[in-house]
Amino acid sequence: MAFEPRDEFHMRRCLSLAERGLGFTSPNPAVGAVVVKDGRMAGKGFHRRAGAEHAEIVALRQAGDRAEGATLYVSLEPCSHFGKTPPCADEIVRRKVARVVVAMRDPNPLVDGKGIERLRNAGVTVETGLLETRARRLNEVFVVNMLSRRPFTALKAAASLDGRIATASGESRWITGEEARAHAHRLRGRYDAVMVGINTVLKDDPLLTPRVPPYEGKKTMRVVVDSRARIPVDCALVKSARETPLVVAVTGQALPGKVKTLGAQGAAVLLVNEDRGRVDLDDLLAKLYTLSVCSVLVEGGGELLASFVERDLYDKLYLFQAPKLIGGSAALSFLGGRGVERLERAPRLSEVSSRRLGKDRLYEYYPAGSLFAGGA
């Protein structure tokens, strides 16, 4: 289907609007909408948070009477079912919109083409697929949730040019600069949960909260993978557990007394299946999903990141890279584990973006063959 440059211009605006909802709409998708009448924008909107009005409704209300005969651009197929809000497709028909341009179909089985069908049956012209790849990446979390019924899982690492996350003596603060660290906090805010291994807690005593606008007040869940419940009760995570959710994932190896103490401090202790003496990551992700965790950002350390890679349990990699060379065979790599013995077995990645953050760079990758890897 051929679209005009002005169509792409308005859809880009939809995607920019949708981005403003990232981190606040879970378990819903992030959606942007624009109403255009006689070549001019008559209304715009985005989905601000779960339970709030959908983007189309906000844009149509702003447009008022100008919605009649107008074109509605929307980054995701309008819904056709009753949820916490009425169907958007019905309101579009009621407002007598003439044309709807949709970036991508909704992967939710309750919608998936039904919204488009409802509009077409009412005589509305519907065109789909404009900037579809970008729209799919924007809602990568929602797509994975709908198609795989599990959390979208991203890995994050900050390393030198030679892949080190610390010197041989263990010094790691700070490899990257201020701008990169601020962006890492924004990433935390976009995810439902941030996960680290127990060794990271013991070494760095992190707080794992997103401390930059607009996420500074968000109660992002912190998850510690800790098979034996070694987490200190006086660490920053436990001390803040009553204010910000903390989940400690343990196995049957954890001492009951320690589990009881953690619970008394406000932490939620999650008993997970064991895998070769460690937390079974498949079971952990499945249990987090039942707790309404739709997305997880795994921040380290190297052994935990390697476990996700070895089990092919990740959907994305954020790699912050500083223009530094650390060297040394004893210096830690951002990816630990056993590694591969043959290059042909090395997981392949597809780079989808890179950007400069001060003197550092952020590279974003999907696994090769991912639903999000191809296209522009």
Side-chain angles (χ1 to χ4, degrees), residues 150-173:
R150 62 169 176 80
F152 181 90
T153 305
L155 312 182
K156 192 219 85 174
S160 61
L161 283 177
D162 52 340
R164 310 297 185 176
I165 58 173
T167 65
S169 65
E171 184 183 353
S172 60
R173 294 188 177 182

Side-chain angles (χ1 to χ4, degrees), residues 83-107:
K84 292 184 178 178
T85 58
C88 293
D90 288 355
E91 182 65 11
I92 293 168
V93 171
R94 192 183 75 80
R95 294 280 190 147
K96 299 180 181 179
V97 172
R99 176 180 177 236
V100 176
V101 180
V102 177
M104 64 173 283
R105 282 174 57 152
D106 191 331

Side-chain angles (χ1 to χ4, degrees), residues 197-199 224-230 249-254 270-284 301-311 336-339:
I198 181 58
N199 289 333
V224 179
V225 180
D226 184 12
S227 59
R228 291 180 287 160
R230 292 188 292 147
V250 304
T251 68
Q253 301 179 58
L270 188 63
L271 182 62
V272 180
N273 291 340
E274 192 173 314
D275 178 19
R276 292 171 292 178
R278 297 184 176 185
V279 165
D280 184 324
L281 296 179
D282 282 284
D283 189 44
L284 173 56
E303 294 301 314
L304 183 61
L305 293 178
S307 294
F308 276 93
V309 172
E310 288 167 3
R311 289 161 179 75
R338 295 176 58 186

Side-chain angles (χ1 to χ4, degrees), residues 11-31:
M11 187 58 76
R12 287 182 186 277
R13 178 174 282 173
C14 283
L15 294 172
S16 294
L17 285 165
E19 251 190 283
R20 294 170 63 180
L22 287 175
F24 299 108
T25 63
S26 181
N28 293 350
V31 184

